[in-house]
Amino acid sequence: MKPGPTARAALVLLAFLAVFTVIDRMSAPDGGRRTAAAPPGAVTLEPDTSVAATTTTTPPTTSTRATTAPPTTKRTTEPTLRPAAGVTVQVLNGVWVTGLAHRVAGQVRKAGYDVVAAKTALGSYSVSRVYYTGDHRADAEAFKDRFPAFAVVEPAPPNLSRRVALHVVIGKDYPGV
């Protein structure tokens, strides 16, 4: 019994998928081995967010006039972002603009992230987004704060590698596209 046209099409599709998977693994800069762990010797330092106590003293007065202390200015502290060091990132070009993923990957690398790949996304995206894997939501939010063009933060779909902490997809809304 011969397979029908649908079965033959499915077999061809599976063959293409296998070829693309092998090519993808071979073209990765690290031979397809990606981890979400920090590189050996990496040190993650938590910033000191403590504020020293301040006191204001007014010298005693002998007159009956009321005295007031000079106004104090409160120091506003900006929220501290999670460190970028040790966070693996894959940059995906979802708008098919030649070289865009590599340009953005360079900016991400300058910010201290460990860029493991810069590739073309499967499909077209209208909105830029950050997909996070596992417990890396806080890393994704910090990435969004550093790169506001990636305003959408979502859990990664099952087809993205769990060995990479963040997958950032450049959409049509990205500045300059």
Side-chain angles (χ1 to χ4, degrees), residues 126-175:
S126 58
V127 178
S128 300
R129 63 192 65 232
V130 180
Y131 289 121
Y132 63 91
T133 59
D135 58 350
H136 291 281
R137 181 178 179 92
D139 293 320
E141 293 291 343
F143 186 93
K144 179 182 82 168
D145 290 343
R146 286 185 178 97
F147 299 95
F150 296 92
V152 176
V153 173
E154 299 175 329
N159 64 324
L160 293 176
S161 172
R162 298 295 177 236
R163 292 180 282 180
V164 178
L166 305 178
H167 301 270
V168 296
V169 182
I170 305 163
K172 291 178 185 172
D173 67 339
Y174 190 80

Side-chain angles (χ1 to χ4, degrees), residues 54-68:
T54 59
T55 59
T56 305
T57 59
T58 306
T61 59
T62 55
S63 68
T64 57
R65 288 184 307 159
T67 61
T68 58

Side-chain angles (χ1 to χ4, degrees), residues 10-162:
L11 288 173
V12 169
L13 182 62
L14 286 173
F16 275 114
L17 181 60
V19 168
F20 279 109
T21 301
V22 168
I23 291 172
D24 180 53
R25 294 294 177 195
M26 291 174 58
S27 66
D30 58 357
R33 289 168 285 155
R34 300 179 188 137
T35 64
V43 177
T44 303
L45 298 176
E46 292 295 324
D48 181 13
T49 58
S50 63
V51 178
T54 59
T55 59
T56 305
T57 59
T58 306
T61 59
T62 55
S63 68
T64 57
R65 288 184 307 159
T67 61
T68 58
T72 59
T73 57
K74 288 189 176 183
R75 198 172 99 190
T76 58
T77 58
E78 304 226 358
T80 55
L81 297 176
R82 287 175 65 98
V87 178
T88 54
V89 178
Q90 173 177 233
V91 179
L92 298 170
N93 181 348
V95 292
W96 300 85
V97 174
T98 304
L100 183 60
H102 290 285
R103 266 197 326 265
V104 172
Q107 296 169 354
V108 171
R109 196 174 283 114
K110 275 185 183 178
Y113 289 94
D114 179 16
V115 177
V116 296
K119 298 180 179 181
T120 302
L122 296 176
S124 180
Y125 289 79
S126 58
V127 178
S128 300
R129 63 192 65 232
V130 180
Y131 289 121
Y132 63 91
T133 59
D135 58 350
H136 291 281
R137 181 178 179 92
D139 293 320
E141 293 291 343
F143 186 93
K144 179 182 82 168
D145 290 343
R146 286 185 178 97
F147 299 95
F150 296 92
V152 176
V153 173
E154 299 175 329
N159 64 324
L160 293 176
S161 172
R162 298 295 177 236

